[in-house]
Amino acid sequence: MSVPFATDPSVTDSSVTNSKPGVIDLVREEGIDLVIVDYLQRIKTERRLQDRRNEVTYATATISDAIKVAGAAGMLLSQLKRLQDGKKPTIEDLKESGDIECFAENIILGWREFQPGGAEEKYCVLAKAKDGQVILDPIRLD
């Protein structure tokens, strides 16, 4: 099975507005069904906005619009705020933008817990599900 795969560093190397047509063209030309944007907080905006939270909100909206116009599914990866040991993340812990939730149909939060002796356990929860049930009981990932 062959799956089309392409990378486009212009999404983070230039402004988000300039990248929007590139995302649309790449999806349509390469037949891409899923666009993954890693590290949403790294996307630059050409607009000078009030604060970083508003810049991340603007970038999220612009990239989301481009993905929808192109007819693809999207996965936007965002950083979480630093959490105190033992605290499990919530939607409010999405770094620099509570507005990310407004654009998301689903939100999966992942984290690691370090056990005595250095062992690491990984977990996730489905914190938002537009068309389904939220799963807040941690799912252990092996």
Side-chain angles (χ1 to χ4, degrees), residues 10-12 14-24 43-47 49 55 58-63 66:
S10 72
V11 173
T12 55
S14 67
S15 74
V16 69
T17 303
N18 293 339
S19 300
K20 185 176 179 177
V23 169
I24 295 167
I43 297 175
K44 299 173 186 156
T45 62
E46 69 289 341
R47 290 177 146 180
L49 299 169
E55 290 177 2
Y58 176 73
T60 303
T62 304
I63 292 294

Side-chain angles (χ1 to χ4, degrees), residues 19-139:
S19 300
K20 185 176 179 177
V23 169
I24 295 167
D25 291 345
L26 190 63
V27 166
R28 290 179 176 164
E29 290 169 8
E30 300 295 329
I32 295 171
D33 295 320
L34 174 65
V35 175
I36 301 172
V37 177
D38 191 8
Y39 203 178
L40 194 54
Q41 285 78 10
R42 291 230 6 182
I43 297 175
K44 299 173 186 156
T45 62
E46 69 289 341
R47 290 177 146 180
R48 193 76 178 140
L49 299 169
Q50 184 178 6
D51 57 19
R52 186 64 187 140
R53 184 189 67 79
N54 287 327
E55 290 177 2
V56 172
T57 298
Y58 176 73
T60 303
T62 304
I63 292 294
S64 295
D65 288 346
I67 293 168
K68 287 175 185 173
V69 166
M75 181 185 300
L76 308 180
L77 304 176
S78 174
Q79 185 179 17
L80 295 170
K81 297 175 189 172
R82 292 190 188 271
L83 301 174
Q84 296 175 350
D85 288 341
K87 183 178 183 291
K88 293 173 182 35
T90 65
I91 290 174
E92 291 77 26
D93 295 317
L94 290 170
K95 188 171 182 177
E96 295 173 333
S97 181
D99 296 329
I100 293 171
E101 178 190 4
C102 295
F103 298 105
E105 293 184 13
N106 301 294
I107 296 177
I108 299 171
L109 301 172
W111 73 95
R112 299 179 297 183
E113 291 181 3
F114 296 96
Q115 306 302 318
E120 175 183 276
E121 294 181 355
K122 298 173 188 172
Y123 297 92
C124 72
V125 294
L126 179 59
K128 179 180 178 180
K130 179 183 170 195
D131 297 322
Q133 182 176 347
V134 172
I135 302 172
L136 295 177
D137 291 327
I139 299 167

